[in-house]
Amino acid sequence: MTFITQSGAPAGPVGQGTWYLGENPSTFADERNALRTGIEAGMTLIDTAEMYGEGAAEELVGSAIQGLARETLYLVSKVYPHNAGRAHIFTCCENSLRRMRTDYLDLYLLHWRGSIPFAETVECMEELKAKGRIRAWGVSNLDTRDMKELMALPNGDGCATDQVLYHLGSRGIEYDLLPFLRERQVPVMAYCPLAQAGRLRRGLLANPSVQKIAFAHDASPAQVLLAFLLAQPGVVPIPRTGRAVHTLENAAAAELKLTSKEFAALDKAFPAPTRKVPLDIQ
Ligand code: NAP
């Protein structure tokens, strides 16, 4: 249950995010290098969106993948909810493809639920698939009730992912969304896997349990956060960094295997929910 490139290889297990990247000319080269380093380290899944820097992140991706075999990459972009209908989605998809300098997306996501009916978005996504402009489609920021509604529609079961906020300090999806998606063999893309370097959950990286585990493995707290997610079946984290040194660290997190005692310590410090909590959104 993961994302497969056109060449047939699994993308990941760790992907790369791009929010806030590509916006500043003075850091563009470093960010391009960070993405490229990640691809070379096996992080072939790259997540972006038309929203990020109003196309600037997609252009960075387009620059970073120059000269690489397209079929070995897994490129994901997202359409704004207000563009996710017949009137705009086809043009928006073409614009994303042009900025990313590619002729197809591996996955195209509805960024969050807006006012355009799901049925119309699904129809358009299926048309984009039939035209070969996307290989698959999915959604983002949908909680269980919305997912049930979506997947009950004609072709709704074609949804290939729900990209949602998920990190050690925000485990709400473990209560019902994650089990629901697993049952349907739909992998989850975990966004903000590092809680935006701890900004979304103060004290996360400095937590004594996280620090102790990191120390025991000669790893970083960020790697512990990623290892926690990588141990959850059907979950692909997409950390973002503009620094190649962090990219390599994030890629290496796939090698970090925590013990059951360590998982128990993390559970104690950041318990899984025991009741339904609203989907965390960034
Ligand atoms: P994130 O990946 O949780 O955190 C990014 C922050 O972590 C950056 O400040 C980065 O700084 C730092 N960082 C990265 N690797 C690190 C490491 N090894 N050690 C220490 N710090 C590290 O946050 P995010 O960018 O918000 O989320 C990830 C991706 O998910 C986004 O880029 C985007 O593609 C996607 N996303 C999707 C949605 C949605 O609505 N679908 C919403 C939010 C995000 P440096 O650059 O200094 O490394």
Side-chain angles (χ1 to χ4, degrees):
M1 202 175 31
T2 190
F3 303 96
I4 307 288
T5 65
Q6 187 151 50
S7 69
V14 187
Q16 304 193 73
T18 61
W19 199 11
Y20 299 116
L21 300 186
E23 299 180 20
N24 182 348
S26 70
T27 52
F28 190 93
D30 285 346
E31 292 164 359
R32 182 185 188 277
N33 181 40
L35 284 178
R36 187 82 177 204
T37 300
I39 295 168
E40 282 157 12
M43 300 162 94
T44 50
L45 185 156
I46 302 181
D47 175 74
T48 189
E50 63 176 355
M51 185 188 95
Y52 300 164
E54 295 302 326
E58 290 182 326
E59 283 174 4
L60 175 73
V61 174
S63 169
I65 64 169
Q66 281 318 290
L68 299 177
R70 175 65 185 86
E71 68 278 9
T72 63
L73 303 170
Y74 194 93
L75 302 183
V76 186
S77 193
K78 312 185 198 77
V79 62
Y80 271 120
H82 59 264
N83 286 335
R86 195 156 288 287
H88 300 295
I89 195 169
F90 301 106
T91 312
C92 288
C93 184
E94 290 307 315
N95 289 340
S96 290
L97 292 172
R98 179 179 38 77
R99 288 189 289 259
M100 295 169 76
R101 302 196 225 169
T102 183
D103 53 6
Y104 71 93
L105 291 174
D106 294 281
L107 185 57
Y108 198 31
L109 307 181
L110 168 65
H111 207 148
W112 64 89
R113 185 172 194 172
S115 56
I116 292 172
F118 280 158
E120 183 176 339
T121 302
V122 172
E123 259 182 42
C124 296
M125 290 288 194
E126 288 293 330
E127 282 177 38
L128 284 167
K129 240 167 90 172
K131 286 181 191 151
R133 306 312 267 160
I134 65 174
R135 288 179 58 227
W137 63 268
V139 293
S140 179
N141 294 305
L142 295 197
D143 207 345
T144 318
R145 190 191 298 183
D146 286 337
M147 281 309 295
K148 283 183 179 162
E149 182 185 329
L150 173 80
M151 294 187 83
L153 291 170
N155 293 319
D157 58 358
C159 179
T161 195
D162 188 9
Q163 183 183 111
V164 289
L165 186 149
Y166 185 28
H167 59 76
L168 177 65
S170 180
R171 301 177 59 180
I173 71 162
E174 290 177 31
Y175 185 73
D176 62 351
L177 182 60
L178 192 52
F180 172 85
L181 293 169
R182 275 190 191 135
E183 221 169 88
R184 284 153 189 81
Q185 299 286 307
V186 177
V188 163
M189 239 179 247
Y191 79 67
C192 298
L194 303 174
Q196 295 193 336
R199 271 186 294 277
L200 304 179
R201 175 80 194 247
R202 277 182 60 208
L204 185 61
L205 292 162
N207 175 270
S209 298
V210 173
Q211 294 265 344
K212 192 175 162 197
I213 295 167
F215 184 76
H217 290 273
D218 196 16
S220 72
Q223 287 178 314
V224 173
L225 262 54
L226 293 176
F228 167 79
L229 294 177
L230 288 164
Q232 317 299 322
V235 172
V236 174
I238 48 168
R240 174 250 315 175
T241 177
R243 297 197 257 172
V245 62
H246 280 170
T247 313
L248 290 174
E249 207 178 292
N250 296 343
E255 310 306 319
L256 176 56
K257 305 287 179 233
L258 308 184
T259 65
S260 50
K261 230 173 128 184
E262 289 168 337
F263 279 113
L266 292 177
D267 272 338
K268 198 166 168 213
F270 300 98
T274 52
R275 60 181 172 79
K276 176 71 186 162
V277 285
L279 188 63
D280 211 352
I281 284 175
Q282 191 44 218

